[in-house]
Amino acid sequence: MAGIYVHIPFCRKQCSYCDFYKSTLLENKKTLLVSLMKELDHKANYLEGDRIETIYIGGGTPSVLSIEEINLLLSKISAVYKVSDKAEITFEANPDDLNKTYLERLYNNTVINRLSIGIQSFIDRDLRLLNRRHDSTKAKHAIRDTLKAGFSDVSIDLIYSIPGMSMDEWICNLNTAFSFNIHHLSAYFLTFEPGTCIYGKLKNKEIDQVKEEQSLEQYKKLIEIAEKAGYIQYEISNFSLPGHLSKHNSGYWSGKKYIGIGPSAHSYNIKTRQWNVSDNAEYIMKINQNRTYFEMEHLNLKTRFNEYIMTGLRTKWGIDLKEIEKKFGTEFYRLIINKALPFLKNNDIEEKENHYFLTSKGIFIADYIISAMFLD
Amino acid sequence: MPSKEEDRCMENIRNFCIIAHIDHGKSTLADRMLLTTHTLSERDFKDQVLDNMDLERERGITIKSHAVQMDFILEGKKYILNLIDTPGHVDFSYEVSRSIAACEGALLVVDATQGVQAQTISNLYQAIDHNLEIIPVLNKMDMPSAMPDEVRDQIIDLTGCSREDIIEASAKTGYGIDRIMKEIVRKIPPPKGDPAAPLQALIFDSVFNSFRGIFAYFKVFNGEIRKGEKVKFVATGRIYDADEIGVLKIKFQPRDVLYAGDVGYIISGIKSAREVKVGDTITHVSRPCDKAITGFEEVKPMVFAGIYPVDADDYEELRASLEKLQLNDASLSFVPESSAALGFGFRCGFLGLLHMEIVQERLDREFDMDIINTVPNVSFKAYTTKGEMIDVHNPSGMPEPANLDYIEEPYIIAQVICRSENVGPIMTLCIDKRGTLKNQLYLTSNRIELTFDMPLSEIVFDFYDKLKSISKGYASFDYHMSGYRKADLVRLDMLLNGEMVDALSSLIHRSHAYNFGRRVCEKLKELIHRQQFDIAIQAAIGSKIIARETVKAVRKDVTAKCYGGDITRKRKLLEKQKKGKKRMRQIGTVEVPQSAFLAVLKMD
């Protein structure tokens, strides 16, 4: 069981908060697609023949691709890899690209069966600050039309802790989202990554960061409202209706193998992680000249263990103590039990059926707990 | 080879040192002289041969002095020139005085672009006290920024020489070197001494060699010393065989005999620098001299600080490292101590702050030790109600208030030379540091020498840095001890969640305590990371809390996104977060970063 991620590193416009690799030079699209195909060939053996259960086309903005271009990519994947008939195939899209024709063709003429829409907010002021191309009306239309086109697995992204966003506005955003009966929600608080436009604004004191206390309250409200609406929080920032969690993303958190195709994409096959160069021109050149286009790290037992703790504790499945003893040995098992003690005592972690989980209290200081549980 | 007779002729020997401020070109001048006399070939030429510790080279200062012998021929006659190197920092002023005592003359080297500095003056006065013939040299004349007229006036003011006596030179280009060499021979008198008298030789330096033990450098004042003789070091009372004696000409050259006036070295199987005391007298066991050479002093450490291993398991290794350091640094002292906060470590005594930094850096570089340094303090004298006197080297060693009659602290006479426009701020700084102005002297129209009487403890903290920044680096500073005086000191304790952190306690003048306590609290608030609970930081005198800050508990520490590409990055971030914690000391329930223990030093 494995996944494939394809990174489409193009955007029509740069969002002010985004620090993923992307370019607005869309004229390189054709050449880049050719390189993506070549990389799909190169990586053919990385997954050691595992069947592909999930495909995720993300970015950037995948919805800059035409239906033909999407199909070119997907058919190449099927040609090189063993793709399961029931594979989850997710496509990330911006609301402004989701006109009715495009949506109908996506649904009818491709094998894509899951759509993830970058809504971010239903408030125009927020969307302007985030430098998004859509407004709140367009956001709502996009969701409605996606569902209308027939998609039965629709996810949206929302951002909270946006400077100027009140608690009432956040509640309103959540209610709006759930009113569409979407299947899945990823909600993130706004982070200020160095190099982004919004980070500069923060440094120049043009905007203020939302106070920690306020951000925490918004997060608590998110969990509360989602639960009431029938959504399960299966990861720190991810909520879904039963049976609609993202299999692809869950793969990342449960140590499934995946390959990442395209500039800045990451791959993982248990033994190694590797990541491609984050530059379209460099990526294209290196792929074409058969030069190394990625960096690699080998994962030793301790690193694998730490990653298991990190990804596991973030999910509702927690970490499996029996699995730890089996996979990592008795010593690691003993160490983790000891490290967990103060957190168990403090009710930040709970133990159920040989699994550790973050409690509803511990989840707010997940990083603090995880870093303390790491082995050195 | 010259004949034995020539070697013996005291008339042909010139012993001299170079007095110069850091960076005024002493080492370059020494190199130039070694080249001119062919002691060193161009091919072997290595920058600043005399400074042979890495640390010295990087800092541009000479920590350990050496002596080097050069042959120089003038008007058909061959002369032996012994250049005795001197350390250039205030911490080592006693060692400088012993080097000076071994010479008959000194080159006073002043940077023509910078002018006379405080350190130069105090060393020059020592040289004049010892009746050394002074040859003034105006160095760096090749620099466009040289201001020869102004600096020449300063030199004349200081030495009373005539304008023509000052040699213009550039050690870098070689300009003026010939004249310097000639004047060394013509002006500096040959050594005096009675070759027939009982042996009397002054130890002015020692160097540790890991294969052969200690090389002690000496100058024979009277009599002669031969290889294999039984000799006695007067101050320590120890007796040795002179296994090897000789002179240093870049390489060691063994000799059978050294006579009055000669400068040389002795190897006698000594393993530790502590046995060789600078200023001690060497004499014969069989025919000892009546009196030791005057001026010997036991070097006393003036600044103390705790050194602790970061990892408690490294305690024994730290001890071994300090012992090895002591082999070639006799002025370093240490005794074991323990701290509730830091565990087992050592209280170390240093000559001064620079010496302390050098030791800390050498522990790091040469021994790869990860250490925590505590805030340094001076040596206090505490008098108990019973009339006892206790030397206190550590705030926790202070007697209980009930038993304490009074405390005395060391005072210094501090000399600052600065530009006239900086006088105001420097006076404010010194008065703020409890100094009183004793004298104010215009060296030239815009250079002033200020003399202050002030407590040594006040310069231990951040005095140098402040002086440097106020004067934009132009002020120079020197001090010497002037004795102990009564002081109104209090012990300021720091508490974390109610628990006293002994390693953060300090002895401080009552008038500074409130302000200082408040600032330490603020600084610690910056340095101590948030934890799962509120952390109270308090400053207290006895049971009275005088300042407080709170580090708020972590309420939210969670990253929103963690997908495929983020896993490596995220893991590394959390590993870093983890590592930061590892380098901390647990005090009660509070994790304290190492930097906190030196926080008080870095306050502005």
PDB file of all heavy atoms in Angstrom, chain A residues 188-189 212-213 215 237 253 307 314 348 364 367 371 374 376, chain B residues 530 532 555-560 562-565 570-571 578:
ATOM      1  N   TYR A 188      -6.484  25.181   9.679  1.00  0.00           N
ATOM      2  CA  TYR A 188      -5.167  25.532  10.205  1.00  0.00           C
ATOM      3  C   TYR A 188      -5.199  26.919  10.798  1.00  0.00           C
ATOM      4  O   TYR A 188      -5.897  27.789  10.285  1.00  0.00           O
ATOM      5  CB  TYR A 188      -4.114  25.534   9.092  1.00  0.00           C
ATOM      6  CG  TYR A 188      -4.199  24.347   8.170  1.00  0.00           C
ATOM      7  CD1 TYR A 188      -4.722  24.476   6.884  1.00  0.00           C
ATOM      8  CD2 TYR A 188      -3.761  23.099   8.597  1.00  0.00           C
ATOM      9  CE1 TYR A 188      -4.800  23.384   6.045  1.00  0.00           C
ATOM     10  CE2 TYR A 188      -3.841  22.000   7.756  1.00  0.00           C
ATOM     11  CZ  TYR A 188      -4.361  22.145   6.480  1.00  0.00           C
ATOM     12  OH  TYR A 188      -4.439  21.074   5.659  1.00  0.00           O
ATOM     13  N   PHE A 189      -4.391  27.126  11.857  1.00  0.00           N
ATOM     14  CA  PHE A 189      -4.252  28.521  12.267  1.00  0.00           C
ATOM     15  C   PHE A 189      -3.165  29.139  11.406  1.00  0.00           C
ATOM     16  O   PHE A 189      -2.247  28.455  10.933  1.00  0.00           O
ATOM     17  CB  PHE A 189      -3.974  28.674  13.763  1.00  0.00           C
ATOM     18  CG  PHE A 189      -2.796  27.912  14.263  1.00  0.00           C
ATOM     19  CD1 PHE A 189      -1.517  28.425  14.157  1.00  0.00           C
ATOM     20  CD2 PHE A 189      -2.976  26.677  14.864  1.00  0.00           C
ATOM     21  CE1 PHE A 189      -0.431  27.724  14.616  1.00  0.00           C
ATOM     22  CE2 PHE A 189      -1.888  25.960  15.330  1.00  0.00           C
ATOM     23  CZ  PHE A 189      -0.614  26.481  15.205  1.00  0.00           C
ATOM     24  N   GLU A 212      -2.103  34.516  21.572  1.00  0.00           N
ATOM     25  CA  GLU A 212      -2.089  33.071  21.780  1.00  0.00           C
ATOM     26  C   GLU A 212      -3.402  32.576  22.396  1.00  0.00           C
ATOM     27  O   GLU A 212      -3.987  31.594  21.956  1.00  0.00           O
ATOM     28  CB  GLU A 212      -0.917  32.709  22.689  1.00  0.00           C
ATOM     29  CG  GLU A 212      -0.743  31.229  22.874  1.00  0.00           C
ATOM     30  CD  GLU A 212       0.385  30.924  23.846  1.00  0.00           C
ATOM     31  OE1 GLU A 212       1.520  30.829  23.373  1.00  0.00           O
ATOM     32  OE2 GLU A 212       0.133  30.797  25.048  1.00  0.00           O
ATOM     33  N   GLU A 213      -3.860  33.292  23.400  1.00  0.00           N
ATOM     34  CA  GLU A 213      -5.073  32.910  24.115  1.00  0.00           C
ATOM     35  C   GLU A 213      -6.272  32.858  23.164  1.00  0.00           C
ATOM     36  O   GLU A 213      -7.069  31.925  23.167  1.00  0.00           O
ATOM     37  CB  GLU A 213      -5.305  33.945  25.227  1.00  0.00           C
ATOM     38  CG  GLU A 213      -6.079  33.435  26.395  1.00  0.00           C
ATOM     39  CD  GLU A 213      -5.368  32.275  27.103  1.00  0.00           C
ATOM     40  OE1 GLU A 213      -4.118  32.239  27.140  1.00  0.00           O
ATOM     41  OE2 GLU A 213      -6.089  31.407  27.591  1.00  0.00           O
ATOM     42  N   SER A 215      -6.195  32.620  19.843  1.00  0.00           N
ATOM     43  CA  SER A 215      -5.996  31.579  18.856  1.00  0.00           C
ATOM     44  C   SER A 215      -6.388  30.220  19.439  1.00  0.00           C
ATOM     45  O   SER A 215      -7.019  29.392  18.775  1.00  0.00           O
ATOM     46  CB  SER A 215      -4.527  31.602  18.434  1.00  0.00           C
ATOM     47  OG  SER A 215      -4.195  30.447  17.749  1.00  0.00           O
ATOM     48  N   SER A 237      -5.428  18.861  12.808  1.00  0.00           N
ATOM     49  CA  SER A 237      -6.095  19.875  11.998  1.00  0.00           C
ATOM     50  C   SER A 237      -7.114  19.303  11.018  1.00  0.00           C
ATOM     51  O   SER A 237      -7.550  20.004  10.110  1.00  0.00           O
ATOM     52  CB  SER A 237      -5.050  20.685  11.218  1.00  0.00           C
ATOM     53  OG  SER A 237      -4.102  21.244  12.094  1.00  0.00           O
ATOM     54  N   TRP A 253       0.715   9.785   8.043  1.00  0.00           N
ATOM     55  CA  TRP A 253       0.791   9.716   9.516  1.00  0.00           C
ATOM     56  C   TRP A 253       0.905   8.297  10.029  1.00  0.00           C
ATOM     57  O   TRP A 253       1.129   8.084  11.212  1.00  0.00           O
ATOM     58  CB  TRP A 253      -0.454  10.398  10.118  1.00  0.00           C
ATOM     59  CG  TRP A 253      -0.609  11.808   9.637  1.00  0.00           C
ATOM     60  CD1 TRP A 253       0.395  12.710   9.457  1.00  0.00           C
ATOM     61  CD2 TRP A 253      -1.811  12.465   9.242  1.00  0.00           C
ATOM     62  NE1 TRP A 253      -0.095  13.891   8.960  1.00  0.00           N
ATOM     63  CE2 TRP A 253      -1.465  13.775   8.822  1.00  0.00           C
ATOM     64  CE3 TRP A 253      -3.151  12.095   9.186  1.00  0.00           C
ATOM     65  CZ2 TRP A 253      -2.400  14.704   8.372  1.00  0.00           C
ATOM     66  CZ3 TRP A 253      -4.090  13.021   8.744  1.00  0.00           C
ATOM     67  CH2 TRP A 253      -3.714  14.305   8.341  1.00  0.00           C
ATOM     68  N   GLU A 307       9.796   9.757  14.375  1.00  0.00           N
ATOM     69  CA  GLU A 307       8.754  10.084  13.396  1.00  0.00           C
ATOM     70  C   GLU A 307       7.448   9.357  13.713  1.00  0.00           C
ATOM     71  O   GLU A 307       6.360   9.907  13.546  1.00  0.00           O
ATOM     72  CB  GLU A 307       9.229   9.742  11.981  1.00  0.00           C
ATOM     73  CG  GLU A 307      10.300  10.715  11.489  1.00  0.00           C
ATOM     74  CD  GLU A 307      10.656  10.493  10.022  1.00  0.00           C
ATOM     75  OE1 GLU A 307      10.199   9.483   9.441  1.00  0.00           O
ATOM     76  OE2 GLU A 307      11.393  11.342   9.488  1.00  0.00           O
ATOM     77  N   ARG A 314      -0.268  12.724  16.762  1.00  0.00           N
ATOM     78  CA  ARG A 314      -1.115  13.775  16.187  1.00  0.00           C
ATOM     79  C   ARG A 314      -2.471  13.229  15.719  1.00  0.00           C
ATOM     80  O   ARG A 314      -3.363  13.998  15.391  1.00  0.00           O
ATOM     81  CB  ARG A 314      -0.390  14.455  15.014  1.00  0.00           C
ATOM     82  CG  ARG A 314       0.808  15.296  15.439  1.00  0.00           C
ATOM     83  CD  ARG A 314       1.555  15.875  14.234  1.00  0.00           C
ATOM     84  NE  ARG A 314       0.717  16.749  13.447  1.00  0.00           N
ATOM     85  CZ  ARG A 314       0.606  18.063  13.630  1.00  0.00           C
ATOM     86  NH1 ARG A 314       1.291  18.637  14.585  1.00  0.00           N
ATOM     87  NH2 ARG A 314      -0.187  18.776  12.873  1.00  0.00           N
ATOM     88  N   ASP A 348      -2.267  14.860  30.119  1.00  0.00           N
ATOM     89  CA  ASP A 348      -2.021  15.365  28.762  1.00  0.00           C
ATOM     90  C   ASP A 348      -2.046  14.206  27.774  1.00  0.00           C
ATOM     91  O   ASP A 348      -2.305  14.389  26.593  1.00  0.00           O
ATOM     92  CB  ASP A 348      -0.654  16.047  28.681  1.00  0.00           C
ATOM     93  CG  ASP A 348      -0.621  17.328  29.484  1.00  0.00           C
ATOM     94  OD1 ASP A 348      -1.605  18.079  29.427  1.00  0.00           O
ATOM     95  OD2 ASP A 348       0.376  17.561  30.197  1.00  0.00           O
ATOM     96  N   PHE A 364      -3.384  20.692  22.754  1.00  0.00           N
ATOM     97  CA  PHE A 364      -2.992  22.103  22.576  1.00  0.00           C
ATOM     98  C   PHE A 364      -1.490  22.317  22.755  1.00  0.00           C
ATOM     99  O   PHE A 364      -0.966  23.341  22.362  1.00  0.00           O
ATOM    100  CB  PHE A 364      -3.774  22.996  23.557  1.00  0.00           C
ATOM    101  CG  PHE A 364      -5.258  22.837  23.430  1.00  0.00           C
ATOM    102  CD1 PHE A 364      -6.035  22.462  24.518  1.00  0.00           C
ATOM    103  CD2 PHE A 364      -5.874  23.044  22.208  1.00  0.00           C
ATOM    104  CE1 PHE A 364      -7.403  22.294  24.394  1.00  0.00           C
ATOM    105  CE2 PHE A 364      -7.247  22.881  22.074  1.00  0.00           C
ATOM    106  CZ  PHE A 364      -8.016  22.499  23.164  1.00  0.00           C
ATOM    107  N   ASP A 367       3.211  19.793  20.380  1.00  0.00           N
ATOM    108  CA  ASP A 367       4.636  19.890  20.049  1.00  0.00           C
ATOM    109  C   ASP A 367       5.495  19.765  21.294  1.00  0.00           C
ATOM    110  O   ASP A 367       6.544  19.143  21.285  1.00  0.00           O
ATOM    111  CB  ASP A 367       4.941  21.241  19.370  1.00  0.00           C
ATOM    112  CG  ASP A 367       4.445  21.270  17.941  1.00  0.00           C
ATOM    113  OD1 ASP A 367       3.780  20.302  17.528  1.00  0.00           O
ATOM    114  OD2 ASP A 367       4.727  22.270  17.250  1.00  0.00           O
ATOM    115  N   SER A 371       8.071  16.687  21.480  1.00  0.00           N
ATOM    116  CA  SER A 371       9.520  16.915  21.557  1.00  0.00           C
ATOM    117  C   SER A 371      10.082  16.322  22.846  1.00  0.00           C
ATOM    118  O   SER A 371      11.202  15.840  22.877  1.00  0.00           O
ATOM    119  CB  SER A 371       9.857  18.403  21.425  1.00  0.00           C
ATOM    120  OG  SER A 371       9.403  19.116  22.544  1.00  0.00           O
ATOM    121  N   PHE A 374      10.581  12.577  22.331  1.00  0.00           N
ATOM    122  CA  PHE A 374      11.621  12.162  21.380  1.00  0.00           C
ATOM    123  C   PHE A 374      12.786  11.523  22.127  1.00  0.00           C
ATOM    124  O   PHE A 374      13.109  11.898  23.249  1.00  0.00           O
ATOM    125  CB  PHE A 374      12.161  13.388  20.634  1.00  0.00           C
ATOM    126  CG  PHE A 374      11.444  13.686  19.345  1.00  0.00           C
ATOM    127  CD1 PHE A 374      10.247  13.087  19.032  1.00  0.00           C
ATOM    128  CD2 PHE A 374      12.004  14.593  18.443  1.00  0.00           C
ATOM    129  CE1 PHE A 374       9.592  13.371  17.843  1.00  0.00           C
ATOM    130  CE2 PHE A 374      11.360  14.886  17.252  1.00  0.00           C
ATOM    131  CZ  PHE A 374      10.160  14.278  16.954  1.00  0.00           C
ATOM    132  N   ASP A 376      16.871  11.036  22.307  1.00  0.00           N
ATOM    133  CA  ASP A 376      18.012  11.765  21.739  1.00  0.00           C
ATOM    134  C   ASP A 376      19.112  10.837  21.261  1.00  0.00           C
ATOM    135  O   ASP A 376      19.172   9.707  21.521  1.00  0.00           O
ATOM    136  CB  ASP A 376      18.628  12.773  22.723  1.00  0.00           C
ATOM    137  CG  ASP A 376      18.065  12.730  24.104  1.00  0.00           C
ATOM    138  OD1 ASP A 376      18.304  11.720  24.802  1.00  0.00           O
ATOM    139  OD2 ASP A 376      17.393  13.678  24.479  1.00  0.00           O
TER     140      ASP A 376
ATOM    141  N   ARG B 530       9.264  28.957  28.441  1.00  0.00           N
ATOM    142  CA  ARG B 530       7.973  28.685  29.069  1.00  0.00           C
ATOM    143  C   ARG B 530       7.808  27.191  29.261  1.00  0.00           C
ATOM    144  O   ARG B 530       8.212  26.390  28.440  1.00  0.00           O
ATOM    145  CB  ARG B 530       6.864  29.250  28.185  1.00  0.00           C
ATOM    146  CG  ARG B 530       6.942  30.761  28.104  1.00  0.00           C
ATOM    147  CD  ARG B 530       6.104  31.270  26.981  1.00  0.00           C
ATOM    148  NE  ARG B 530       4.703  30.955  27.221  1.00  0.00           N
ATOM    149  CZ  ARG B 530       3.756  31.041  26.302  1.00  0.00           C
ATOM    150  NH1 ARG B 530       4.045  31.424  25.090  1.00  0.00           N
ATOM    151  NH2 ARG B 530       2.515  30.756  26.592  1.00  0.00           N
ATOM    152  N   GLN B 532       5.096  24.093  31.390  1.00  0.00           N
ATOM    153  CA  GLN B 532       3.664  23.810  31.509  1.00  0.00           C
ATOM    154  C   GLN B 532       3.009  24.533  32.677  1.00  0.00           C
ATOM    155  O   GLN B 532       1.821  24.405  32.888  1.00  0.00           O
ATOM    156  CB  GLN B 532       3.446  22.310  31.635  1.00  0.00           C
ATOM    157  CG  GLN B 532       3.454  21.616  30.286  1.00  0.00           C
ATOM    158  CD  GLN B 532       2.997  20.190  30.425  1.00  0.00           C
ATOM    159  OE1 GLN B 532       3.778  19.318  30.742  1.00  0.00           O
ATOM    160  NE2 GLN B 532       1.725  19.947  30.194  1.00  0.00           N
ATOM    161  N   ARG B 555       0.504  27.687  26.866  1.00  0.00           N
ATOM    162  CA  ARG B 555      -0.905  27.353  26.708  1.00  0.00           C
ATOM    163  C   ARG B 555      -1.116  26.644  25.380  1.00  0.00           C
ATOM    164  O   ARG B 555      -1.953  25.788  25.251  1.00  0.00           O
ATOM    165  CB  ARG B 555      -1.764  28.622  26.769  1.00  0.00           C
ATOM    166  CG  ARG B 555      -1.620  29.370  28.072  1.00  0.00           C
ATOM    167  CD  ARG B 555      -2.597  28.878  29.137  1.00  0.00           C
ATOM    168  NE  ARG B 555      -3.946  29.360  28.848  1.00  0.00           N
ATOM    169  CZ  ARG B 555      -4.989  28.544  28.695  1.00  0.00           C
ATOM    170  NH1 ARG B 555      -4.832  27.245  28.783  1.00  0.00           N
ATOM    171  NH2 ARG B 555      -6.185  29.055  28.459  1.00  0.00           N
ATOM    172  N   LYS B 556      -0.344  27.051  24.398  1.00  0.00           N
ATOM    173  CA  LYS B 556      -0.536  26.482  23.084  1.00  0.00           C
ATOM    174  C   LYS B 556       0.822  26.262  22.437  1.00  0.00           C
ATOM    175  O   LYS B 556       1.625  27.181  22.327  1.00  0.00           O
ATOM    176  CB  LYS B 556      -1.361  27.467  22.243  1.00  0.00           C
ATOM    177  CG  LYS B 556      -1.593  27.047  20.815  1.00  0.00           C
ATOM    178  CD  LYS B 556      -2.696  27.881  20.202  1.00  0.00           C
ATOM    179  CE  LYS B 556      -2.762  27.724  18.707  1.00  0.00           C
ATOM    180  NZ  LYS B 556      -1.872  28.648  17.998  1.00  0.00           N
ATOM    181  N   ASP B 557       1.096  25.052  22.083  1.00  0.00           N
ATOM    182  CA  ASP B 557       2.350  24.725  21.407  1.00  0.00           C
ATOM    183  C   ASP B 557       2.040  23.554  20.480  1.00  0.00           C
ATOM    184  O   ASP B 557       2.186  22.401  20.836  1.00  0.00           O
ATOM    185  CB  ASP B 557       3.428  24.342  22.442  1.00  0.00           C
ATOM    186  CG  ASP B 557       4.770  24.054  21.786  1.00  0.00           C
ATOM    187  OD1 ASP B 557       4.878  24.252  20.553  1.00  0.00           O
ATOM    188  OD2 ASP B 557       5.684  23.624  22.485  1.00  0.00           O
ATOM    189  N   VAL B 558       1.544  23.894  19.322  1.00  0.00           N
ATOM    190  CA  VAL B 558       1.138  22.847  18.390  1.00  0.00           C
ATOM    191  C   VAL B 558       1.248  23.391  16.966  1.00  0.00           C
ATOM    192  O   VAL B 558       0.890  24.526  16.704  1.00  0.00           O
ATOM    193  CB  VAL B 558      -0.298  22.349  18.697  1.00  0.00           C
ATOM    194  CG1 VAL B 558      -1.278  23.497  18.786  1.00  0.00           C
ATOM    195  CG2 VAL B 558      -0.772  21.320  17.678  1.00  0.00           C
ATOM    196  N   THR B 559       1.813  22.592  16.087  1.00  0.00           N
ATOM    197  CA  THR B 559       1.911  23.006  14.694  1.00  0.00           C
ATOM    198  C   THR B 559       0.670  22.517  13.970  1.00  0.00           C
ATOM    199  O   THR B 559       0.209  21.398  14.203  1.00  0.00           O
ATOM    200  CB  THR B 559       3.141  22.369  14.022  1.00  0.00           C
ATOM    201  OG1 THR B 559       4.207  22.453  14.936  1.00  0.00           O
ATOM    202  CG2 THR B 559       3.480  23.079  12.751  1.00  0.00           C
ATOM    203  N   ALA B 560       0.134  23.374  13.088  1.00  0.00           N
ATOM    204  CA  ALA B 560      -1.092  23.008  12.398  1.00  0.00           C
ATOM    205  C   ALA B 560      -0.842  21.923  11.366  1.00  0.00           C
ATOM    206  O   ALA B 560      -1.517  20.908  11.346  1.00  0.00           O
ATOM    207  CB  ALA B 560      -1.701  24.237  11.750  1.00  0.00           C
ATOM    208  N   CYS B 562       1.169  19.063   9.089  1.00  0.00           N
ATOM    209  CA  CYS B 562       2.219  18.056   9.077  1.00  0.00           C
ATOM    210  C   CYS B 562       1.904  17.021   8.015  1.00  0.00           C
ATOM    211  O   CYS B 562       1.282  16.003   8.287  1.00  0.00           O
ATOM    212  CB  CYS B 562       2.332  17.404  10.445  1.00  0.00           C
ATOM    213  SG  CYS B 562       3.650  16.193  10.541  1.00  0.00           S
ATOM    214  N   TYR B 563       2.298  17.333   6.771  1.00  0.00           N
ATOM    215  CA  TYR B 563       2.039  16.400   5.677  1.00  0.00           C
ATOM    216  C   TYR B 563       3.349  15.841   5.156  1.00  0.00           C
ATOM    217  O   TYR B 563       4.403  16.094   5.739  1.00  0.00           O
ATOM    218  CB  TYR B 563       1.234  17.103   4.573  1.00  0.00           C
ATOM    219  CG  TYR B 563      -0.131  17.512   5.074  1.00  0.00           C
ATOM    220  CD1 TYR B 563      -0.432  18.841   5.315  1.00  0.00           C
ATOM    221  CD2 TYR B 563      -1.083  16.545   5.368  1.00  0.00           C
ATOM    222  CE1 TYR B 563      -1.663  19.212   5.814  1.00  0.00           C
ATOM    223  CE2 TYR B 563      -2.320  16.908   5.868  1.00  0.00           C
ATOM    224  CZ  TYR B 563      -2.607  18.236   6.094  1.00  0.00           C
ATOM    225  OH  TYR B 563      -3.823  18.568   6.596  1.00  0.00           O
ATOM    226  N   GLY B 564       3.262  15.136   4.036  1.00  0.00           N
ATOM    227  CA  GLY B 564       4.429  14.436   3.500  1.00  0.00           C
ATOM    228  C   GLY B 564       5.716  15.229   3.549  1.00  0.00           C
ATOM    229  O   GLY B 564       6.684  14.831   4.166  1.00  0.00           O
ATOM    230  N   GLY B 565       5.673  16.379   2.898  1.00  0.00           N
ATOM    231  CA  GLY B 565       6.889  17.172   2.785  1.00  0.00           C
ATOM    232  C   GLY B 565       7.325  17.777   4.099  1.00  0.00           C
ATOM    233  O   GLY B 565       8.479  18.100   4.293  1.00  0.00           O
ATOM    234  N   LYS B 570       9.509  19.123  10.110  1.00  0.00           N
ATOM    235  CA  LYS B 570       8.837  19.178  11.398  1.00  0.00           C
ATOM    236  C   LYS B 570       9.602  18.365  12.450  1.00  0.00           C
ATOM    237  O   LYS B 570       9.777  18.792  13.583  1.00  0.00           O
ATOM    238  CB  LYS B 570       7.425  18.609  11.195  1.00  0.00           C
ATOM    239  CG  LYS B 570       6.623  18.414  12.434  1.00  0.00           C
ATOM    240  CD  LYS B 570       5.712  19.581  12.643  1.00  0.00           C
ATOM    241  CE  LYS B 570       4.825  19.339  13.838  1.00  0.00           C
ATOM    242  NZ  LYS B 570       5.282  20.050  14.992  1.00  0.00           N
ATOM    243  N   ARG B 571      10.081  17.194  12.022  1.00  0.00           N
ATOM    244  CA  ARG B 571      10.832  16.365  12.956  1.00  0.00           C
ATOM    245  C   ARG B 571      12.095  17.111  13.404  1.00  0.00           C
ATOM    246  O   ARG B 571      12.429  17.137  14.571  1.00  0.00           O
ATOM    247  CB  ARG B 571      11.227  15.039  12.288  1.00  0.00           C
ATOM    248  CG  ARG B 571      11.823  14.038  13.276  1.00  0.00           C
ATOM    249  CD  ARG B 571      12.547  12.918  12.559  1.00  0.00           C
ATOM    250  NE  ARG B 571      13.821  13.364  12.048  1.00  0.00           N
ATOM    251  CZ  ARG B 571      14.234  13.201  10.802  1.00  0.00           C
ATOM    252  NH1 ARG B 571      13.474  12.605   9.915  1.00  0.00           N
ATOM    253  NH2 ARG B 571      15.414  13.659  10.420  1.00  0.00           N
ATOM    254  N   LYS B 578      13.858  19.764  21.359  1.00  0.00           N
ATOM    255  CA  LYS B 578      14.307  18.781  22.331  1.00  0.00           C
ATOM    256  C   LYS B 578      15.740  19.073  22.779  1.00  0.00           C
ATOM    257  O   LYS B 578      16.050  19.061  23.966  1.00  0.00           O
ATOM    258  CB  LYS B 578      14.245  17.401  21.671  1.00  0.00           C
ATOM    259  CG  LYS B 578      14.972  16.317  22.399  1.00  0.00           C
ATOM    260  CD  LYS B 578      13.982  15.456  23.098  1.00  0.00           C
ATOM    261  CE  LYS B 578      14.617  14.636  24.173  1.00  0.00           C
ATOM    262  NZ  LYS B 578      13.582  14.074  25.016  1.00  0.00           N
TER     263      LYS B 578
END
